[in-house]
Structures are given as structure tokens and as C-alpha cells.
């Protein structure tokens, strides 16, 4: 989410950048870190909502590590 007092300044960037392609995409890949001691991992078939749009998770992969944090990649397709 982007909050600005001057939307006319940022709109051109949103409409011609990687951000535009991401908003229009049918498939997204999300990579991040999960504190495995505090959270649970989403599963294939689950629904997530990003920027007001629903997505269905196709796959979830994680790279184990020696700490409580694990790298997680989620691939999802736009619902509907």
C-alpha cells in the first residue's frame, strides 16, 4: 500500500512500472521470511487477499534453516 498527499506524482510510476505489471498479473510469487515459532504456513488451495484481490495458492515452498526463521515462497493465481 502506498499513501501519499500527491497521488498525481506517483500515478505515472504505478502505471508504467513493475508495480503495474504486478497489479495486472494472473500469477504472483511472494518470497519472505516466516518466524516458524509464531506463525503457520499457508497451504495449497488456501485463499489469500492482496491489495483487495483474492488469490488461490498453487504452491508453497520453504527453505529450512538453523534459526526459527525460514524463507518461504508462495505461488498463487488470481481467483475468478
Amino acid at each position: 500500500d502506498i499513501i501519499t498527499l500527491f497521488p498525481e506524482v506517483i500515478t505515472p510510476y504505478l502505471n508504467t512500472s513493475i508495480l503495474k505489471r504486478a497489479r495486472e498479473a494472473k500469477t504472483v510469487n511472494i518470497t519472505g521470511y516466516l518466524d516458524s515459532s509464531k506463525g503457520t504456513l499457508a497451504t495449497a488451495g488456501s485463499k489469500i487477499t492482496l491489495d483487495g484481490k483474492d488469490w488461490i495458492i498453487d504452491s508453497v515452498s520453504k527453505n529450512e534453516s538453523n534459526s526459527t526463521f525460514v524463507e518461504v515462497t508462495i505461488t498463487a493465481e488470481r481467483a475468478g
Side-chain angles (χ1 to χ4, degrees), residues 10-36:
I10 199 161
T11 300
Y13 295 101
L14 293 175
N15 290 331
T16 60
S17 68
I18 293 171
L19 295 173
K20 177 183 179 188
R21 289 184 293 200
R23 286 195 330 259
E24 294 174 349
K26 302 288 185 210
T27 302
V28 294
N29 291 312
I30 304 163
T31 300
Y33 289 90
L34 173 70
D35 182 345
S36 60

